[in-house]
Amino acid sequence: MKISAVIPVYNEAESLELLYGEIQAVGQEHGYEWDVVFVDDGSTDDSWRKIEQLAESDSRVQGVRLRRNFGKAAALSAGFDVAQGEIVFTLDADLQDDPHEIPHFLEVLETGVDVVSGWKKVRHDPWHKVGPSRVFNAMVSTLTGVRLHDHNCGFKCYRREIFEEIDLYGELHRFIPVLAAARGWRVGEVVVQHRAREFGHSKYGVGRIVKGFLDLLTVYFLTGFRQRPQHLLGAAGLICFFSGGALVAGLTAWRVVSHLTPALEPLHLHERAIFYYSLTLLLLGGQLLTAGFLAELMTAHRAREQRSYSIKQHAGGEDASNQKQERGDGN
Ligand code: UDP
Ligand code: MG
């Protein structure tokens, strides 16, 4: 069984040789057949030269250089396209992920799961990263149903077939296990040692919290409603539309009655704030329904491009009967 490591690199020149050395040592110790893909995500330091040197000295090392900084998800995607292994690891280039954990990932994979996500139980990151990360993990686990302690961990491993079904873009790399689980792949977790960053600095600031939350909403929508967007948008639209409609109808009836009954003070609709709220609800409902229909139109249009299901196994059929005939027991 061959394993690949895909490593996104953005200005990590000092770490690359050490990281390569560690992977090589682990590979040798456990007798793995392995290869490494370093993806230079538009580094402006010496990273690419280091990658070229490593690739020249060892044929198991490949480098891919992106034309500019496209972000970690794009870098990983470029790496998945060229990685050869049946099992694909992702790890960060900054030496925070320890390659000696690779065997532990493989042990969990053997229990029958398809994705193993690392869990940095003891983290060596500043508090302003660890705190929001806890909240984020709890939210992702609740909203998506994929219960992991550490969705953000860059150290993960996958069966390679998964990448035939998942398109990565933006910053969705954190959610590969969630996207995979939505298609029926099984997800496991393993506790990993986490090390403090030795060289360079983190590429992500506090902006990641807001972006992460927006991505979570996107992933919730994509995993739950990709094939049926109107069920989400339309449901919200109908609620708005009918509550707006009911309010307008009630107000109209009240207006008519109050004008016909001398004992009541006549109601003028334009003087009531609630009237305007009702109109807003009606319009909003209509808009949500329209957005839902547009989304359905796009889904219908794309239905041929991506299968809405994922096949685990086949039994019988042509392949099996051919094999039978070869063995001579087909007639
Ligand atoms: N990275 C990348 N492109 C980017 C940002 C980061 O390839 O635009 C890489 C970076 O070189 C590192 C990994 O993604 O290997 C994780 O980044 P970092 O260590 O800065 O994140 P943190 O550990 O602080 O969450
Ligand atoms: Mg890091």
Side-chain angles (χ1 to χ4, degrees):
M1 192 164 57
K2 187 166 178 180
I3 62 175
S4 291
V6 173
I7 303 174
V9 179
Y10 184 42
N11 297 336
E12 313 277 7
E14 298 96 328
S15 310
L16 298 178
E17 234 174 285
L18 291 167
L19 183 61
Y20 162 76
E22 289 189 6
I23 295 173
Q24 192 191 30
V26 174
Q28 201 158 18
E29 187 184 331
H30 295 271
Y32 298 139
E33 198 190 331
W34 59 273
D35 68 2
V36 178
V37 185
F38 286 106
V39 185
D40 179 0
D41 185 16
S43 298
T44 49
D45 68 352
D46 242 5
S47 297
W48 179 246
R49 209 171 53 82
K50 286 264 153 64
I51 295 170
E52 275 184 325
Q53 281 169 3
L54 290 171
E56 262 166 43
S57 67
D58 187 338
S59 61
R60 292 170 295 191
V61 177
Q62 269 195 81
V64 177
R65 188 183 196 183
L66 304 186
R67 230 175 259 288
R68 64 165 173 85
N69 178 241
F70 281 90
K72 192 172 170 184
L76 287 172
S77 224
F80 296 149
D81 286 345
V82 295
Q84 305 283 318
E86 292 140 66
I87 307 294
V88 180
F89 279 83
T90 60
L91 61 164
D92 290 353
D94 55 4
L95 292 170
Q96 290 198 269
D97 299 330
D98 183 350
H100 292 96
E101 301 285 355
I102 288 177
H104 302 144
F105 276 87
L106 294 175
E107 273 166 30
V108 179
L109 206 69
E110 270 161 25
T111 63
V113 298
D114 307 300
V115 180
V116 184
S117 181
W119 171 16
K120 299 164 291 193
K121 204 168 182 177
V122 181
R123 279 184 71 163
H124 299 280
D125 278 325
W127 63 269
H128 55 82
K129 250 176 145 163
V130 180
S133 178
R134 291 251 158 83
V135 178
F136 181 76
N137 281 313
M139 270 168 38
V140 179
S141 296
T142 316
L143 209 56
T144 65
V146 180
R147 302 202 168 269
L148 293 178
H149 291 90
D150 195 357
H151 287 271
N152 270 325
C153 187
F155 202 0
K156 296 191 170 90
C157 93
Y158 311 89
R159 295 190 195 280
R160 76 155 307 119
E161 300 91 288
I162 290 176
F163 301 118
E164 281 154 32
E165 299 193 355
I166 288 173
D167 295 321
L168 270 195
Y169 64 91
E171 289 184 19
L172 293 191
H173 54 274
R174 297 188 194 110
F175 297 101
I176 312 177
V178 175
L179 295 170
R183 294 182 68 82
W185 301 91
R186 282 149 310 165
V187 180
E189 190 171 47
V190 65
V191 174
V192 294
Q193 298 279 349
H194 188 234
R195 304 186 287 199
R197 205 182 228 286
E198 266 183 67
F199 308 103
H201 55 85
S202 173
K203 309 303 179 302
Y204 296 99
V206 281
R208 135 148 90 187
I209 301 172
V210 180
K211 291 181 199 160
F213 181 69
L214 291 172
D215 284 342
L216 171 58
L217 293 182
T218 304
V219 165
Y220 174 69
F221 181 69
L222 285 182
T223 53
F225 300 94
R226 191 186 195 117
Q227 300 296 326
R228 49 189 190 105
Q230 186 67 303
H231 284 185
L232 182 71
L233 295 165
L238 285 182
I239 291 172
C240 290
F241 194 82
F242 281 117
S243 44
L247 282 169
V248 168
L251 286 167
T252 311
W254 184 9
R255 184 208 175 276
V256 172
V257 172
S258 71
H259 279 262
L260 293 178
T261 320
L264 290 175
E265 193 187 327
L267 171 77
H268 299 290
L269 286 182
H270 67 273
E271 285 172 358
R272 298 293 163 137
I274 186 100
F275 178 62
Y276 297 97
Y277 296 144
S278 323
L279 293 185
T280 311
L281 280 172
L282 273 174
L283 289 174
L284 194 64
Q287 292 223 319
L288 281 167
L289 280 163
T290 311
F293 281 124
L294 284 175
E296 288 284 343
L297 200 64
M298 285 159 79
T299 310
H301 200 66
R302 292 202 56 208
R304 261 164 207 266
E305 287 166 34
Q306 205 200 12
R307 275 187 283 157
S308 58
Y309 52 85
S310 174
I311 295 170
K312 184 166 181 174
Q313 271 171 322
H314 284 283
E318 225 169 77
D319 285 355
S321 59
N322 283 346
Q323 279 167 16
K324 259 189 185 177
Q325 271 171 14
E326 274 165 27
R327 287 205 310 268
D329 52 4
N331 38 16

